[in-house]
Amino acid sequence: MRNAARRNTTRRDSILVVMLVLAAAGLIAYLLTGRSGEARPDAAGAPPGQEQPASQQGGPSGEPGRDTANPLAIGKPDAPVKMVMYSDFRCPFCGKFSRDTEPVLVDRYVQTGVLRIEWRDYPIFGVQSIDAARAGRAAAEQGRFWEFTRAVYQESPPTGHPDLTRDKLRDFAAKAGVPDLARFEADLGSNRFDSAIQQDLTEGGTIGVYSTPTFLINGRPLLGAQPLETFTAAIDEAAR
């Protein structure tokens, strides 16, 4: 029975990976060629620390609706500025943003009621990315989502993709203070969050997200781990 369950889980994960890869591949092809057949700039290809200004980037267009019940959000639902972030727990630039920029934005804007940050899962680096997305939502079920993201990203390498096994994800959950680790592990091993994860990926694909991290600040796109000043300028402008 246990072997059969393990085979079913592996098969389920493989199917979801194929779906994510196909969606991402089609999206990348579309964005690189564009409807007119012209190449679009790719901020993900810029050297670290040399990201293109938002005005020069090929980025998403449109703005996702405000999700006031989003368990992966921080800040007042009616804050005047909303930042949607599409992230992957195995993305090194997402880690850089989490360590260097997010704490300042939370202190300066979230805590003062100006900014609401809404996370979207965009797991594009394989099975472990999907497991990590499930783990994040399992932590959110117990009210420890942002603590979990910080625990993961605090140990994320500056380059390359971390090895996020289920054992490591459980360790991060413990560090984040998730109270019921048995429940966390059960949620992590289930498929109960897969439709929500796929919904995030579909939403991002619909508006043109093709790399992580991608941010939308009241609809204005910012791609990559931009300097803090880029975020504060965009938030200040959106708050006027």
Side-chain angles (χ1 to χ4, degrees), residues 91-93 95-96 99 152-163:
C91 163
F93 294 108
K96 177 177 174 57
R99 292 187 300 271
V152 173
Y153 284 138
Q154 191 63 37
E155 297 189 21
S156 178
T159 60
H161 309 299
D163 185 28

Side-chain angles (χ1 to χ4, degrees), residues 121-137:
D121 284 310
Y122 219 66
I124 57 176
F125 297 115
V127 172
Q128 288 191 354
S129 290
I130 297 169
D131 269 348
R134 291 170 178 153
R137 289 179 178 269

Side-chain angles (χ1 to χ4, degrees), residues 38-120:
E38 296 178 358
R40 298 183 64 172
D42 182 358
Q50 299 182 28
E51 294 88 350
Q52 295 167 308
S55 61
Q56 298 177 14
Q57 294 173 343
S61 59
E63 182 179 6
R66 188 178 295 240
D67 184 357
T68 58
N70 186 355
L72 316 183
I74 185 172
K76 295 171 56 178
D78 61 349
V81 183
K82 179 188 71 175
M83 182 171 77
V84 177
M85 52 187 290
Y86 294 86
S87 300
D88 185 315
F89 282 105
R90 300 187 70 217
C91 163
F93 294 108
C94 299
K96 177 177 174 57
F97 170 81
S98 176
R99 292 187 300 271
D100 299 346
T101 304
E102 181 187 289
V104 179
L105 299 185
V106 170
D107 288 344
R108 189 178 301 181
Y109 297 106
V110 174
Q111 298 297 340
T112 57
V114 174
L115 178 67
R116 176 175 173 83
I117 302 175
E118 293 189 3
W119 171 286
R120 299 291 195 271

Side-chain angles (χ1 to χ4, degrees), residues 12-30 88 90 122-130 197-198 201-202 205 209-210:
R12 182 194 71 210
D13 290 353
S14 298
I15 292 171
L16 184 56
V17 168
V18 170
M19 292 172 62
L20 295 175
V21 169
L22 288 175
L27 182 59
I28 290 170
Y30 170 81
D88 185 315
R90 300 187 70 217
Y122 219 66
I124 57 176
F125 297 115
V127 172
Q128 288 191 354
S129 290
I130 297 169
I197 294 169
Q198 181 63 49
L201 185 79
T202 300
V209 176
Y210 64 100

